Amino acid sequence: MKPWIPLTLLLSALPALALGYPEALVRAENRPPVVAARAELDDAEAQWARTEADPAALRLERLQARQRRKLAAAQLRLERVRASAEISLAFTQLLDAQAAYRLAERGFELAGRTLRVARLRYVKGGIGRQELRASELRLEEARNRLRQADDARALARARLFSLVGGPEPGEALAPAGTPVLPDLEAVYRRLDAHPDLLRAAQGVELAQTALALLDPSYAPRARIEAAQLQLTQARTALEEARRGLRLQAKARWQAVAERRRDFELAGGESDKAARDLAVARERYRAGLISELALLQAELEREQAAVAAQNAEHALLAAAWELAVATAWPLEVRDAR
């Protein structure tokens, strides 16, 4: 069994091989939905330029060309956010899977040492066969957990590889970033640029223009009334779209707040475990506890640290879900 190495030491030993979180997010540009949305924007911009340069283009044609260009840009922004959120989730899932493997590896080592001590005590008559068998079963359970953690790590690595083209088998990951979280009013303001809301607003603008082009002097009353009804329906659709997006965004924002509280609680537990470990080390040096007890305290400290990391990644995932709901890029500070 290879010696267990803390993540911080591993990353400091291999800085050149670490796949950075910002670098991984940049690769969202290569995802197929982003490529397709970028191609749509290029085509929309070319059509807009042709329409603007055409002296014979009608008012409605110019409006539709401008609308298509603006909507394509908004859709490209949304696809970039979606792709970044997908990559972020895969990145943090691999980090969590790696941490889970290290925990399982250390738990397996501890179970092996515990079994060796149990066998020694059994030979000396300190414990019975039943207690020895319990230690053997714990080792087998630890071995199974290690195997499952290794499988989960391989799956997580393959998923990230499929999204960003890395990391390679021996490549480490740098820590993920920390999200910068907006207040609720800022979230609501960002919704104006959401493609769904923009599409509904463009429907109103298009209906207004179509109605303005009609005049009783040459247009039948029935046609004017139909255009007025279309405008009313477009305005209703806009309000419904705005209400639906605000409800969704508020739910995502509240989920972020809940994940932030969970992270703060997990951080407190991790700090407490660190203090408990410091006490355990002092007691070990004083000869008050065994080496196995110290190793157990170290494992519990690592478990608390991993739980805090998982909570932080859950917060990051919730923040990206909010970004997708608003179609607005998430600002993430590099953890390094």
Side-chain angles (χ1 to χ4, degrees):
M1 179 62 63
K2 297 180 292 184
W4 177 83
I5 304 175
L7 176 62
T8 53
L9 295 181
L10 180 63
L11 293 178
S12 63
L14 297 172
L17 295 180
L19 174 64
Y21 182 76
E23 176 192 355
L25 294 183
V26 166
R27 299 183 191 182
E29 288 296 315
N30 300 325
R31 299 296 300 144
V34 176
V35 173
R38 191 162 54 243
E40 167 63 17
L41 176 59
D42 291 342
D43 187 66
E45 288 183 331
Q47 181 191 18
W48 169 79
R50 289 193 302 268
T51 303
E52 288 296 309
D54 183 4
L58 301 178
R59 176 182 175 185
L60 207 56
E61 293 173 336
R62 293 179 185 278
L63 173 61
Q64 289 173 326
R66 288 196 301 271
Q67 286 186 340
R68 183 191 172 201
R69 178 190 181 213
K70 189 173 182 179
L71 184 60
Q75 190 64 40
L76 175 58
R77 184 174 57 251
L78 174 58
E79 294 301 341
R80 282 172 169 159
V81 172
R82 284 174 173 165
S84 297
E86 186 178 23
I87 290 173
S88 176
L89 182 61
F91 191 98
T92 55
Q93 284 177 339
L94 179 52
L95 280 175
D96 291 342
Q98 289 175 337
Y101 177 82
R102 291 192 303 273
L103 277 181
E105 188 177 36
R106 190 157 191 179
F108 178 67
E109 293 172 354
L110 180 58
R113 297 187 67 166
T114 301
L115 178 58
R116 288 194 293 272
V117 171
R119 284 171 176 166
L120 180 60
R121 294 181 65 194
Y122 176 73
V123 169
K124 293 184 176 183
I127 62 173
R129 179 61 190 171
Q130 185 175 0
E131 291 173 279
L132 176 61
R133 179 56 181 162
S135 293
E136 292 173 342
L137 290 175
R138 282 193 291 271
L139 178 62
E140 186 60 30
E141 291 171 356
R143 181 181 289 109
N144 290 334
R145 285 194 295 271
L146 180 60
R147 187 181 302 111
Q148 292 168 358
D150 192 29
D151 291 342
R153 183 179 59 169
L155 287 174
R157 182 175 291 278
R159 172 158 178 73
L160 182 59
F161 184 91
S162 71
L163 293 175
V164 303
E168 298 301 328
E171 189 177 24
L173 294 185
T178 302
V180 178
L181 305 173
D183 58 44
L184 186 56
E185 288 304 316
V187 168
Y188 287 155
R189 288 193 297 271
R190 292 175 180 181
L191 291 176
D192 289 338
H194 193 287
D196 290 349
L197 196 60
L198 182 60
R199 189 177 292 108
Q202 288 182 346
V204 172
E205 184 181 20
L206 196 61
Q208 287 175 330
T209 302
L211 179 60
L213 292 175
L214 299 178
D215 188 273
S217 62
Y218 58 83
R221 186 179 64 182
R223 186 178 175 187
I224 294 175
E225 290 176 351
Q228 291 172 335
L229 177 61
Q230 188 173 9
L231 176 58
T232 300
Q233 292 172 338
R235 286 170 173 165
T236 300
L238 174 60
E239 290 307 311
E240 290 177 350
R242 178 178 287 109
R243 182 165 50 252
L245 285 173
R246 284 173 67 94
L247 287 174
Q248 183 184 45
K250 183 177 181 179
R252 296 300 186 193
W253 186 83
Q254 290 173 335
V256 170
E258 292 175 3
R259 297 294 82 76
R260 180 161 44 189
R261 287 192 292 269
D262 293 342
F263 171 56
E264 291 170 351
L265 289 174
E269 292 296 325
S270 180
D271 292 342
K272 179 180 180 300
R275 292 192 297 270
D276 292 344
L277 177 57
V279 172
R281 285 173 175 164
E282 289 294 330
R283 298 188 69 199
Y284 175 72
R285 283 192 287 266
L288 299 176
I289 61 173
S290 67
E291 183 181 7
L292 280 180
L294 176 60
L295 292 175
Q296 181 62 40
E298 290 176 346
L299 179 60
E300 291 172 357
R301 164 68 181 103
E302 186 66 17
Q303 288 172 333
V306 169
Q309 174 184 285
N310 292 343
E312 184 176 24
H313 290 167
L315 170 61
L316 184 59
W320 273 112
E321 289 177 357
L322 174 62
V324 171
T326 58
W328 196 269
L330 176 67
E331 182 182 354
V332 182
R333 296 194 185 99
D334 192 343
R336 291 173 297 173

